[in-house]
Amino acid sequence: MELLQLRYFRTVARIENMTRAAQELHIAQPALSKTIARLEGHVGVPLFDRHGGRIRLNTFGKVFLEKVEEALTLLEEGKKEVSDLAGMEHGSIHLATSTLDPLSKPLNAFLSLYPEVNLRITQTSTEEMEHLLESGEIDICFTPLPIDRPGFGLETVLKEDMYLAVPPRHQLADLSSVNLSDVADVPFIGYKEDFIFQKMNDMFFSEAGITPNYVCRVDDPPALASLVRAGLGVALFGCKSGEDSGLTLLPIRSPICQRNFHIIWHEKRYFSLAARRFRDFVAQYFRD
């Protein structure tokens, strides 16, 4: 029984689709199928029920998965503890985040200070972060939405006000502040519906009692800033995202539009020295 087989099994068990699991693992689907078949041969029982092209984790598989999760977590924690004994230059951090935009500058500053730290980043949804933290596949996550779950630690590292971003020569650019209800008919640039910032912005619009006049929806802050600069419309922007954007940022009087970013970790799993340093560094970076 090989360690790689166990890691492949864990991914297949989570996804329950051989093709998509192979894509996530970046291997050929036939090779993954053979690896799982060899593992089942070692265990002595089938771990999945197969119906045509579909697979489902069976009772044997569910019991085996629990032990595999425990074993892989212990191995990862052991590796991290040994790295800590060797010092920061051998440390590693696996970070999950829903957006890299506000984190790009502190990331660059941290890696400049600790260039030997092995940093891996997974960009995913808040829902998936919860699973990755629970399984021990990541060390920490950075998200604007808290994960309220027993056993998870949370530190709010950034509190930022939201602004209405307009081009410098826009008709609203000379205003000292705005109410969201006053710009209901102005062309808006928004994020795609499932993007995490859009979910938060929708709450602000709902509180203001308006439905924005969207002329375009994008999936990242740089694209949104580019379209606002081009004069296509206005947008909601966080102060950290918009400070170097070349846009005019108008304070919003009503409703109060703020968002908080958090670093979250699993309190019952080994929290490495590198991960602790990163959490503290990011918190101090935003305080400064």
Side-chain angles (χ1 to χ4, degrees):
M1 191 178 301
E2 301 172 4
L3 185 60
L4 190 64
Q5 291 176 331
L6 300 181
R7 288 177 170 150
Y8 284 3
F9 166 72
R10 180 173 65 180
T11 300
V12 175
R14 172 167 55 86
I15 297 176
E16 292 190 325
N17 183 290
M18 201 67 74
T19 300
R20 287 195 287 113
Q23 291 171 345
E24 181 171 313
L25 293 166
H26 304 292
I27 64 171
Q29 188 269 326
L32 179 58
S33 297
K34 290 179 181 178
T35 299
I36 297 301
R38 285 198 299 271
L39 176 63
E40 290 177 317
H42 287 306
V43 176
V45 294
L47 301 172
F48 296 91
D49 292 331
R50 295 166 172 83
H51 302 285
R54 301 177 62 187
I55 62 170
R56 291 290 182 270
L57 199 65
N58 61 25
T59 301
F60 301 129
K62 291 176 181 178
V63 172
F64 189 63
L65 177 62
E66 290 182 9
K67 301 305 179 183
V68 168
E69 295 275 20
E70 292 175 7
L72 292 177
T73 297
L74 286 173
L75 287 171
E76 285 298 320
E77 290 181 354
K79 181 180 176 182
K80 292 171 186 175
E81 288 190 48
V82 170
S83 293
D84 281 356
L85 290 173
M88 275 291 287
E89 65 271 16
H90 297 283
S92 65
I93 305 168
H94 191 175
L95 163 73
T97 180
S98 51
T99 176
L100 284 168
D101 189 54
L103 200 56
S104 58
K105 288 185 177 180
L107 272 173
N108 181 64
F110 180 82
L111 291 175
S112 296
L113 191 61
Y114 302 106
E116 300 303 320
V117 169
N118 178 22
L119 177 66
R120 290 185 295 151
I121 300 174
T122 297
Q123 192 164 2
T124 187
S125 67
T126 303
E127 293 78 11
E128 181 64 10
M129 286 181 205
E130 184 174 345
H131 165 78
L132 293 173
L133 274 178
E134 187 62 47
S135 66
E137 293 180 61
I138 61 171
D139 300 301
I140 52 178
C141 58
F142 177 80
T143 172
L145 292 178
I147 301 176
D148 185 13
R149 181 164 177 165
F152 283 8
L154 179 149
E155 182 171 351
T156 301
V157 296
L158 171 62
K159 298 181 178 182
E160 67 171 359
D161 293 322
M162 300 296 293
Y163 293 81
L164 184 72
V166 303
R169 288 184 286 275
H170 191 271
Q171 60 183 1
L172 301 175
D174 292 333
L175 296 179
S176 58
S177 62
V178 295
N179 294 320
L180 279 188
S181 58
D182 295 334
V183 295
D185 298 326
V186 176
F188 253 88
I189 312 297
Y191 295 108
K192 293 181 179 178
E193 287 85 347
D194 59 348
F195 191 66
I196 190 166
F197 286 167
Q198 187 59 43
K199 295 178 181 179
M200 303 180 77
N201 291 349
D202 285 342
M203 292 188 289
F204 302 142
F205 293 131
S206 176
E207 189 174 350
I210 66 170
T211 300
N213 173 27
Y214 288 117
V215 294
C216 184
R217 287 181 180 264
V218 299
D219 55 10
D220 64 80
L224 185 137
S226 178
L227 291 175
V228 174
R229 278 196 301 270
L232 191 62
V234 303
L236 289 187
F237 237 73
C239 55
K240 292 296 180 183
S241 301
E243 58 187 6
D244 299 323
S245 63
L247 301 172
T248 297
L249 301 180
L250 303 178
I252 299 171
R253 293 192 302 271
S254 177
I256 295 174
C257 298
Q258 295 177 325
R259 64 187 181 196
N260 300 332
F261 289 85
H262 319 278
I263 284 182
I264 302 173
W265 64 96
H266 201 307
E267 293 182 316
K268 296 184 179 179
R269 298 200 183 280
Y270 185 74
F271 197 36
S272 71
L273 173 63
R276 295 197 304 271
R277 287 273 178 86
F278 179 78
R279 176 197 60 191
D280 297 342
F281 180 89
V282 171
Q284 187 62 48
Y285 182 93
F286 285 127
R287 279 197 295 268
D288 293 342

